[in-house]
Amino acid sequence: MAGTDGYNYTSACEGPPRLRQKLGAFLGGQYGLGHAVPEGELMLTAGASQALELCCTQLDLLARRRAGTEHAEATDVAASPVTPPPRPAGAPPLRGRSAPGVVFVESPCYLYAMHTFKQRGWRVVDVACAADGGAGGNRSIDIAALEAQLEAHGVPAFLYTTPAHHNPTGWVMPDAKRQALLGLAERWGLHIVADDVYQFMSFPPARAGAQPRAFGALIVEGGPAAQWVVSLGSASKVLAPGLRVGWAHAGAALVAGVLAQAGAALSGGGYTGMNAGIAIECLVDAHFPTLLEAMLQRYGARCAALLAAMDEFLAPLGVAYTCPQGGYFVWCTLPPTLSAVALADALRGAVCFKLGTDFYSNAAIGAREFRLCFVPSDADVMRRGVSLLADAVRAQLAEGA
């Protein structure tokens, strides 16, 4: 890491400017922009999870400020440093009432994001996903269902979504759905937190075809994405999770006026310096694309091996599952009479998976579902694990016969 960036305090709460410039160059290349993401649109964080905590605090402050403006009943936000980005001239009034302490999530939703929201005492509102058509059974957030929840509950602090290789399902939000979501955000004043940590995790066959435009690219273009979207990124999935380096990417006014006004950022001059410098130097190194390609080839092969074993052992038993084109996970659904909890009890830790009940605010919804991760295991280990799963499923089916 050249110079002294990252070793000392900085007056830039978003993080050292030169590091953000280098990160912007990396992201511009990944997004296919032909130029760097402006440094003013980036804020360095201690991982994407810390970036999500930052959004929780600052966007809820913004929601409370809006509620106070609407109803003239909030006094604790009058001196809040958050400054909402200016709306375009001639923009119509925003629809709906503000609902601080509420978050909307895709159903299912990343379990530790759910944990983060519930620890704050927030009300978590599930929004159903709907089929997007085409092969593979891809699904993403149902826009009509989202609008119905806005009508019923008001405008939350934000909507949380994982648009690229969704955790836990592996689904990818298509371009048309992203544009529809942005249109709704503009009408309602709905902030969107896009957990884009798997954005660069498409397997080589998927990258060879047309892919949806990243929310980060849409933010750079301006328009509603620059006003309403915060895209969270991380070095953990493509480099080293122990570095704890991530970033928040949003319109410059949203970064400077809202995210960078967090007390901890103001106190320390940003959240991460030296580790960010190490990670970013690796990301912009000339050898990094080759390393990333090799990693994605390996993960793609492991995913294919897991799916082949599932085709052999689980599909004949009526177990359904997603076929991801990137990311880390396969999402599984048992036949109607079976229980994932009972499956886990029968296996007694012999096979590692996450229960579907952890991915919903209403745990009963996920009783037949579970998540498998193909990243850490080789083909032989996964084949053995799927065989054990099949034995347990077969035993459950026999008990119910």
Side-chain angles (χ1 to χ4, degrees):
M1 185 170 64
T4 59
D5 287 339
Y7 288 96
N8 211 331
Y9 291 116
T10 174
S11 59
C13 298
E14 300 89 341
R18 201 160 68 87
L19 295 184
R20 288 184 287 122
Q21 290 166 11
K22 289 188 173 186
L23 176 61
F26 168 76
L27 293 175
Q30 292 292 321
Y31 295 151
L33 297 177
H35 59 83
V37 171
E39 66 176 275
E41 295 184 357
L42 299 170
M43 181 168 180
L44 298 176
T45 63
S49 296
Q50 194 267 323
L52 179 59
E53 288 276 12
L54 173 68
C55 289
C56 289
T57 299
Q58 297 305 102
L59 294 180
D60 193 57
L61 267 178
L62 208 55
R64 288 197 283 145
R65 180 164 184 166
R66 180 176 166 188
T69 301
E70 290 170 351
H71 307 300
E73 59 188 26
T75 58
D76 61 325
V77 296
S80 168
V82 296
T83 304
R87 301 201 67 217
L94 298 175
R95 297 181 60 184
R97 58 182 174 80
S98 183
V102 177
V103 63
F104 288 6
V105 302
E106 295 163 317
S107 183
C109 168
Y110 171 46
L111 73 166
Y112 293 120
M114 189 90 71
H115 185 73
T116 296
F117 306 144
K118 288 183 174 181
Q119 270 198 330
R120 288 174 169 263
W122 282 8
R123 183 176 183 186
V124 180
V125 176
D126 288 328
V127 181
C129 290
D132 293 312
N138 191 75
R139 301 169 69 87
S140 59
I141 195 163
D142 186 324
I143 298 298
L146 173 56
E147 191 140 30
Q149 296 287 35
L150 288 165
E151 294 279 5
H153 300 285
V155 182
F158 55 85
L159 164 71
Y160 174 81
T161 175
T162 309
H165 309 303
H166 178 263
N167 182 359
T169 64
W171 298 328
V172 177
M173 188 184 295
D175 279 318
K177 187 65 66 69
R178 295 176 191 232
Q179 292 299 328
L181 186 56
L182 289 174
L184 183 144
E186 191 170 31
R187 293 193 304 275
W188 285 83
L190 172 66
H191 283 100
I192 300 164
V193 174
D195 197 341
D196 278 325
V197 296
Y198 302 102
Q199 178 63 46
F200 310 134
M201 298 297 295
S202 298
F203 302 145
R207 289 207 313 283
Q211 295 190 72
R213 299 213 66 203
F215 272 115
L218 298 174
I219 291 168
V220 175
E221 291 177 358
Q227 183 159 26
W228 301 111
V229 177
V230 182
S231 172
L232 309 184
S234 174
S236 293
K237 302 299 183 287
V238 297
L239 193 60
L243 287 171
R244 309 310 305 148
V245 172
W247 56 87
H249 179 192
L254 190 54
V255 170
V258 180
L259 300 182
Q261 298 304 312
L266 292 166
S267 171
Y271 289 108
T272 180
M274 187 169 68
N275 280 10
I278 295 169
I280 292 167
E281 289 293 343
C282 292
L283 294 177
V284 300
D285 187 90
H287 298 289
F288 179 76
T290 302
L291 295 173
L292 179 60
E293 180 71 15
M295 181 181 72
L296 293 175
Q297 290 275 7
R298 183 168 65 253
Y299 289 175
R302 288 178 177 178
C303 179
L306 175 60
L307 293 175
M310 296 177 77
D311 290 344
E312 179 180 353
F313 293 111
L314 291 178
L317 300 175
V319 179
Y321 41 89
T322 58
C323 298
Q325 300 300 307
Y328 277 26
F329 307 111
V330 173
W331 186 240
C332 310
T333 305
L334 295 167
T337 58
L338 303 192
S339 159
V341 174
L343 191 67
D345 289 343
L347 287 163
R348 299 188 179 187
V351 180
C352 181
F353 59 87
K354 285 289 186 182
L355 293 172
T357 50
D358 292 337
F359 295 85
Y360 296 91
S361 64
N362 177 1
I365 298 174
R368 295 191 295 120
E369 297 171 318
F370 61 95
R371 187 192 74 179
L372 292 174
C373 179
F374 49 79
V375 166
S377 303
D378 62 28
D380 290 341
V381 171
M382 288 189 289
R383 180 177 171 81
R384 174 63 178 154
V386 172
S387 175
L388 291 172
L389 276 171
D391 289 344
V393 170
R394 197 175 290 111
Q396 275 199 40
L397 288 170
E399 289 175 7

